[in-house]
Amino acid sequence: MRKLIFLILLTSAKIVFGQEPHQKEALQVEELLEKNNPNLYKTIQRGGIFLVLDNYRNQKRRRYYVGDMFGFKTKSGDFFQEELSEIGDSTLTIMHYNNVERKLETWVIKVSEIRKVYKREVYKGIKWGLGWGSLAAFLPLVYDWVQFGRSPAQNSEALVMIPAIQAGLIVLNNRSKFFNGIKLNENKQLKVFKSF
């Protein structure tokens, strides 16, 4: 009986693991690039220009191509979060919808006029985080009430901690908003590069 089970397992293992590898051919680098990052592929094919945000402190680069969303603030205080429609030698062009006049405007902005670049999408308002996660602020009160029989009204130490815990939850819920901007200075610079 053992020999029969061993023979069945050996045969099934040979069938499963002894198969020929599939005949799918590997994609070329250009095809992979076109599939995963079409804006980069178009820029390379056309010999186009793209923006590079260099961080000299940690040696990281962030690239922006035509067609990418780009959020930034100018030195005059104007905020834009639009798709890049064209990049020149020292300028970038975006199409911005003016809500007041209800028309689409073309803005040409010099790269030297940009003061701050945003890593992620910027949204208005603050997420207050009032939900099931905000109930964690009341856990010290519940613990003292269940464990030691202390009523919540008598527990002054835990009452002080509730606003601190809620403030921490608000910061955690809005971390993508609070820690989003990159201010341009001598360590962080926005440059225009050309692909060959």
Side-chain angles (χ1 to χ4, degrees):
M1 185 68 174
R2 285 185 179 178
K3 291 181 180 180
L4 183 62
I5 293 173
F6 179 72
L7 185 61
I8 291 172
L9 288 175
L10 184 66
T11 306
S12 63
K14 184 177 180 182
I15 291 171
V16 171
F17 296 112
Q19 294 177 357
E20 292 290 325
H22 57 283
Q23 300 298 320
K24 186 175 180 182
E25 292 184 19
L27 295 175
Q28 298 294 325
V29 175
E30 291 83 13
E31 293 170 348
L32 285 172
L33 194 59
E34 185 178 11
K35 179 181 175 185
N36 294 330
N37 196 344
N39 293 334
L40 170 62
Y41 179 74
K42 290 175 193 172
T43 303
I44 290 172
Q45 290 299 321
R46 287 183 281 166
I49 299 173
F50 58 96
L51 292 173
V52 174
L53 178 63
D54 273 329
N55 189 343
Y56 295 120
R57 234 177 233 176
N58 61 8
Q59 303 298 321
K60 288 188 178 177
R61 276 190 168 170
R62 184 179 289 256
R63 294 172 181 88
Y64 300 97
Y65 304 100
V66 173
D68 288 347
M69 286 298 287
F70 187 58
F72 62 95
K73 187 180 269 191
T74 62
K75 291 180 180 175
S76 61
D78 296 328
F79 169 75
F80 297 99
Q81 185 170 334
E82 303 293 336
E83 188 175 295
L84 289 171
S85 58
E86 185 181 337
I87 300 172
D89 289 336
S90 62
T91 61
L92 56 98
T93 306
I94 58 169
M95 303 296 281
H96 178 70
Y97 183 73
N98 189 345
N99 288 329
V100 176
E101 296 179 8
R102 295 190 178 199
K103 66 177 184 176
L104 193 62
E105 298 175 343
T106 302
W107 286 69
V108 178
I109 298 165
K110 291 184 179 180
V111 175
S112 61
E113 289 295 315
I114 296 175
R115 178 177 56 131
K116 196 175 200 180
V117 175
Y118 295 97
K119 295 183 277 187
R120 293 175 294 278
E121 184 179 351
V122 179
Y123 56 89
K124 292 184 179 181
I126 292 178
K127 296 178 187 174
W128 290 100
L130 299 175
W132 292 106
S134 63
L135 294 177
F138 297 105
L139 284 179
L141 289 173
V142 173
Y143 177 74
D144 283 348
W145 194 11
V146 171
Q147 187 68 24
F148 303 112
R150 239 170 125 182
S151 73
Q154 296 172 347
N155 196 350
S156 61
E157 295 91 17
L159 288 175
V160 172
M161 290 302 294
I162 290 174
I165 293 172
Q166 190 62 36
L169 286 172
I170 290 171
V171 170
L172 282 175
N173 287 333
N174 293 290
R175 65 187 176 276
S176 65
K177 179 183 178 100
F178 294 145
F179 309 109
N180 189 9
I182 300 171
K183 190 172 181 180
L184 300 178
N185 53 27
E186 63 274 352
N187 290 327
K188 297 170 186 145
Q189 295 180 356
L190 187 66
K191 297 179 180 177
V192 177
F193 280 26
K194 181 171 178 56
S195 65
F196 294 103

